[in-house]
Each structure stands twice: as structure tokens, then as C-alpha cells.
Amino acid sequence: MEQSVSTTKEALLFAAGELFAEHGVEGTSIRAIAEKCQANIAAVNYHFGTKENLYHVLIRRVLEKTRCRRAEALMKRKQDWAHDPLKCAEALYGIVEEHIHQYFTGTHPRWYGRLFMRILLQPTPAIGEIMSELVMRDFDSLKEVLRCCRPGMSREESELWADSLIGQLTHYIFAEDFLLMVPGRRSYDEAFQRDILHHVSRVLIRGLELPMPAFLMERKSNA
Amino acid sequence: MEQSVSTTKEALLFAAGELFAEHGVEGTSIRAIAEKCQANIAAVNYHFGTKENLYHVLIRRVLEKTRCRRAEALMKRKQDWAHDPLKCAEALYGIVEEHIHQYFTGTHPRWYGRLFMRILLQPTPAIGEIMSELVMRDFDSLKEVLRCCRPGMSREESELWADSLIGQLTHYIFAEDFLLMVPGRRSYDEAFQRDILHHVSRVLIRGLELPMPAFLMERKSNA
DNA sequence: GCTTGATTCAAGTGTTTGTTTGAATCTCGA
DNA sequence: TCGAGATTCAAACAAACACTTGAATCAAGC
């Protein structure tokens, strides 16, 4: 965390991240950013030139820090698990676990996920280049892992499976504010995060017709 | 379509919808809205009072027009299918089909889905009331249908399954711009929409351990 | 203690924002 | 043909916007 370079610069990035995630780039003024971290209004232009450039610096950092490398790591020791359906299922569980870890269980500030959703919703061409460099590689690795889980799977099928995994998880991030205003919905506590992890893993494992690991077996008469 | 009341009013709503969906409310000026439909700038304030009110009128209309009533309809003739696992599977397929129909295959303008995603991402308290009135009822019906598919399912489990269904589908809407800039991704044509429909249905049916309807059986050696 | 470069600050730039205003125009029944 | 209500229009409003400026302040090496 090389913060010693300039503490205001880091403070601006953090404050901007929180505000961009909550209200969007257009909905956030540089005055609001500066006030949030008790900096001068001119500090934004001094450190980043323009508001847009601040945004680009910010999302590059967020995308670098939130890469999901589990799938890539798995592909490097493919021979250890790819032949064994049960280990494939466990590999899937590990990937889902890592994604949930990134955005829910405190590895990163809570607003990282929401900012990531905003980038997905409205990726400018400039952002597109950063994405292709960082995010798409992780996505390709994920598709490779999924192809190992079901030999003979086509490229198009693996994309559908990757979409299923990502879609089920991102849903909780980008619709969080809506879901939490539904009466009776569970809060995003540890128990809920664990239930999401188990549920999504089971959906994928059963969908890919893999054997269910023992620790994911459902206990009967739980209600 | 009582458009004869005021054609400019309708034109403003449509133009605003397209722009809000693309650039967000904060990222859209009333000048841009007026220019898009060749209306005067003051027309927005004449017909809607404020920009925020225009937004509220718009989202109320969008949410009213895009309700997914299939689940509610299914629950009204529950005795016709709920006892038969195969018919449960077909009911699920019908619900997924309706959702895809709403946002992909031309029932509504293309920007409806994207605007819906923006509402989910950032629901103001005022919007929350509209949501609870319209959207949450559909969501409750969906959960009821899912509970029928697996007798003994708890309320919490049915919520997880509903999230899985919604999450997999909304993913294609809110991440559309990103997904389409991934090299080699399929465009959102009819073939892709059908593949999404079949894939998501299969994932849910296998996940809920229901029998697979004949028309969803996968043909081997398709690659 | 002085110099130099980096950083902060208050005040200002011009532009764009949402909104208002009052006159002009349109619509249509009497 | 007239008049009244609905709608449109160009012009203007203050406030907020991103960004700039030049002086003040700071930290550190000599």
C-alpha cells in the first residue's frame, strides 16, 4: 500500500470510489469528493488533471485488485483434478468461494463491487481496453475450467455456464439496494453469504451433472 | 395507447427513457431530452414539473408494462401442474421464456431492460414504493412457483432459487455493453436468445432435480 | 537560513445545469 | 369570427458544474 507518495491522492481515490459507486460518475461532483476527504477542490485537478482521468485511474486500480485468479491457478495444475469429476466439483466451489470473498466478506471495501457493476453497465471505450487486459483473462480461465468439468463442451456452452456463475453472483451486488428494501429479505450477513455460496455451487454442480461433494450434501428435515 | 392526449408528452417520455437508460438520470440533461424529440426545453417542466418527476412517471410506466405475470397466472391454476414434476419443469420453462420475451424479443423497446437495471442498481425511496407495489408481487409469485417445484422448500431456499433465475437473466441485460465488447462473443440474436432460454431452464430444472422435458433434451454429438 | 520543488488554498474562470417567465401560437367549441 | 384554454417558444434566471490561477504553505537538502 504505497500510500506515502501522497496521502491526499489516496484519500481522493477512496472518497471518489465510494461516491462513484453510490451515485455514479455523473452524479458525483468533484466538490463532493473533496469535501468527503477534507481536501481542497483543486486537489482533484492537481493530482489527476480531470475528473474523467480520476475515474480511469480508480477503475484500473479496482479492476487490478479484484481479479479472480483462482481459475487461472486451477488451469496451471489441471492434471491434478480435471480427470476427477468430484475434484471438478470442488474446483467450482473454490471459484464461487473466491468471487464471494472478493466482494462480500471484507477482502475489499464494500463499494468495490458496486463500482464494478457500474463499469459493467456502462463501459466506455477507454474502459474497454482496461477490461480486455484484466477482466477478460479471468473470464477465459473460468470458461476453461468449466470445459474441463464437462468434456466435449463447446465454446458457446462454456460461455453460457460462465454467464450462469457470474450472473447469479453479481445479481446480489448490483441489486443489493433493491433486494434489501424488500420486506422480509435477509441481510447480507455471514450466514447468508455462506448460503449463497452453497446454493450457487450446488446449482452449478447439479447442472453440470457432477458428483456432489460431501460438505455440500443437504441435510434432510432442516426446516 | 392513449397517445392523443399529448404527443409531445409521450415523445418526451420515450426520448427520456432512451437517454436515461443509456447515460443515467444524472448523465442526461433536459436539453438533450428535448432535442432528441424536437421539443422545446420548457416542455419538460410544462408537462412534468421537474426532471425527477418525469423520471418517476417514466419508471412507473416501464414497471407497469414489464410485469411478469406468468408466475401469478400459474399459481391461480396450481392444481393443474403442481403435483406433476414434469409439468413443474415446463412451468419453469414458461417463466424463463416470459422474462426473455419481455426484454429481448421485441415485446418492449430495447432500452426498457437497461432502464430497469438502473432502477435496480439505484432505487430511491420514492421508487421503492412503486417497486413494492408492482415488482415485488411478481417476485413473490415466482417464489411460490418454485416452492411448488420442490415440496418442503423453505422461504429462504425459494428466495435463493428466485435469485438464481433472475440473476442469470438480468446478467445479460445489465452487462450487455461489456459482454458485446468481449472479442468473439455472440451477438444477442434470436439463436442466442433461444440458447439462453434453454440453458437457464436446464440449469434450474436439473438444480431442482425435476425431470427434463423432451424438448429440452440435449442432442449428443452436436459440436 | 535560504532555496527549490511539491502541495495546498481561496478566489475566480466560463459553461452547463434545472427551472421560470411572459409573450406567441395553436385548438376548437360557441 | 371570436375567445378561452392548452400548448409552444425564445429568452433569461440563479445555482452548480469542471476546471484554472497565482499566491501561500509545506518539507527537505545544502
Side-chain angles (χ1 to χ4, degrees), chain A residues 132-143:
Chain A
S132 67
E133 189 184 323
L134 299 171
V135 182
M136 291 176 194
R137 183 175 307 171
D138 298 345
F139 201 74
D140 284 339
S141 302
L142 173 59
K143 285 192 288 179

Side-chain angles (χ1 to χ4, degrees), chain A residues 39-213:
Chain A
N40 191 274
I41 319 152
V44 172
N45 287 278
Y46 174 74
H47 285 289
F48 302 98
T50 65
K51 180 185 172 185
E52 196 188 17
N53 189 245
L54 162 61
Y55 182 50
H56 285 158
V57 171
L58 179 67
I59 62 175
R60 173 170 283 276
R61 176 172 302 197
V62 167
L63 292 180
E64 272 169 357
K65 281 195 179 177
T66 56
R67 288 191 52 192
C68 296
R69 300 165 207 273
R70 180 76 60 102
E72 199 175 5
L74 276 166
M75 286 313 295
K76 279 180 183 163
R77 41 190 176 83
K78 183 180 162 186
Q79 70 283 353
D80 295 344
W81 56 275
H83 58 93
D84 182 348
L86 184 62
K87 285 183 177 165
C88 285
E90 288 167 0
L92 277 182
Y93 175 86
I95 290 174
V96 176
E97 189 180 31
E98 190 196 30
H99 275 92
I100 289 181
H101 223 78
Q102 291 268 8
Y103 295 107
F104 287 99
T105 58
T107 311
H108 299 299
R110 287 288 283 132
W111 51 266
Y112 267 50
R114 176 166 278 253
L115 187 62
F116 190 68
M117 292 303 105
R118 286 201 182 268
I119 299 167
L120 282 183
L121 180 64
Q122 211 169 343
T124 64
I127 296 173
E129 288 176 31
I130 306 173
M131 299 287 263
S132 67
E133 189 184 323
L134 299 171
V135 182
M136 291 176 194
R137 183 175 307 171
D138 298 345
F139 201 74
D140 284 339
S141 302
L142 173 59
K143 285 192 288 179
E144 278 191 73
V145 171
L146 287 162
R147 242 193 313 271
C148 292
C149 291
R150 249 200 170 184
M153 187 190 286
S154 70
R155 192 184 57 80
E156 290 168 354
E157 277 178 289
S158 72
E159 228 150 41
L160 286 166
W161 283 106
D163 291 340
S164 287
L165 192 157
I166 302 291
Q168 283 182 87
L169 295 178
T170 52
H171 174 246
Y172 289 104
I173 302 170
F174 96 94
E176 176 174 2
D177 282 8
F178 165 68
L179 291 174
L180 290 183
M181 66 169 51
V182 177
R185 282 284 300 202
R186 306 171 69 182
S187 67
Y188 282 31
D189 55 15
E190 279 183 36
F192 189 37
Q193 287 162 27
R194 194 195 56 239
D195 286 355
I196 293 171
L197 166 59
H198 286 189
H199 172 77
V200 173
S201 301
R202 285 196 199 104
V203 169
L204 294 169
I205 288 166
R206 273 209 281 265
L208 289 160
E209 293 173 308
L210 297 170
M212 191 66 65

Side-chain angles (χ1 to χ4, degrees), chain B residues 28-31 45 50-51:
Chain B
T28 306
S29 68
I30 59 168
R31 276 172 182 79
N45 287 276
T50 65
K51 181 187 174 185

Side-chain angles (χ1 to χ4, degrees), chain B residues 81 83-92 205 210-215:
Chain B
W81 55 274
H83 58 94
D84 181 349
L86 184 62
K87 284 183 179 167
C88 285
E90 288 167 0
L92 277 182
I205 288 166
L210 297 170
M212 190 66 66
F215 63 91

